[in-house]
Amino acid sequence: VWIRGVVVDEREQPVPAAEVLVASWGGGEAQRLAITDARGRFDLRWMHTHVHVGARAAGYAASPLTTCTASENATVEIVIRLTERACELRGIVFDPEGRPLAGALVQAGTTEQAHRKLADGTSAMGPREARTRTDAEGRFHFPHLAVGPCPLEVRQRDLASHGERLELRAGGENFVAVH
């Protein structure tokens, strides 16, 4: 299956350098598989006939992932709209002794698929959770999160997992220290 498309903003203007994300039919983590060109366009060759495709870009929260269903060797044309402004979340994770914890898995956002109809009538699932690992100083950063409630989970082998629900604000600093 060929998936061709364009990423546009709320004014229908192309968004260059947007990351195009693809998740399998069953959900799971969305993987970056392309970057849009100067005209906001992208071209993907995908081996599966059922996938979800979305995007994220500087200043924008990740889009819902549009459902793409096609027969083998078909070409699917899609438009991905980035309409929500992003906020950033920075943080630091500490181990039980209060030292910065390197290599911890940090996940922001929900794992629920949250299927919905978009304004253009297409079907989509909600943006997928964002994942990263803490650096050597225990720090992490998410640049493309939506404003509002955000589940946060931190996991590290041999330690109890930590979960909390944050309220992310636009324009302000969103910072969390996890002990």
Side-chain angles (χ1 to χ4, degrees):
V1 175
W2 281 99
I3 301 174
R4 293 189 172 124
V6 62
V7 178
V8 298
D9 65 15
E10 65 278 3
R11 297 177 326 273
E12 298 292 316
Q13 296 301 304
V15 179
E19 298 177 351
V20 179
L21 309 170
V22 177
S24 69
W25 188 248
E29 187 174 2
Q31 301 291 320
R32 183 185 79 183
L33 293 186
I35 303 287
T36 59
D37 65 17
R39 299 169 312 171
R41 300 210 49 86
F42 65 91
D43 207 4
L44 293 171
R45 171 75 172 117
W46 191 254
M47 295 178 291
H48 301 288
T49 57
H50 299 74
V51 295
H52 302 281
V53 182
R56 63 184 176 208
Y60 294 95
S63 72
L65 288 104
T66 300
T67 303
C68 292
T69 304
S71 59
E72 274 189 54
N73 300 317
T75 299
V76 177
E77 295 274 343
I78 64 172
V79 176
I80 300 171
R81 290 176 174 79
L82 295 176
T83 58
E84 288 186 60
R85 291 294 171 183
C87 64
E88 295 185 44
L89 173 62
R90 294 179 186 274
I92 187 167
V93 178
F94 297 97
D95 71 13
E97 285 77 41
R99 297 179 304 241
L101 184 60
L105 177 65
V106 183
Q107 179 175 295
T110 182
T111 58
E112 296 175 14
Q113 292 191 3
H115 285 279
R116 62 183 112 162
K117 286 278 187 198
L118 300 179
D120 64 4
T122 59
S123 179
M125 74 175 171
R128 305 308 301 150
E129 68 279 5
R131 294 180 183 168
T132 192
R133 292 213 176 259
T134 56
D135 67 13
E137 287 81 41
R139 296 176 302 205
F140 64 89
H141 176 228
F142 293 108
H144 302 289
L145 298 177
V147 172
C150 178
L152 181 76
E153 186 176 336
V154 178
R155 291 179 291 206
Q156 176 70 326
R157 186 182 313 228
D158 299 326
L159 295 176
S161 64
H162 170 87
E164 65 181 287
R165 191 165 189 83
L166 305 175
E167 186 66 33
L168 301 180
R169 300 180 320 262
E173 180 176 302
N174 292 287
F175 182 87
V176 63
V178 177
H179 298 272

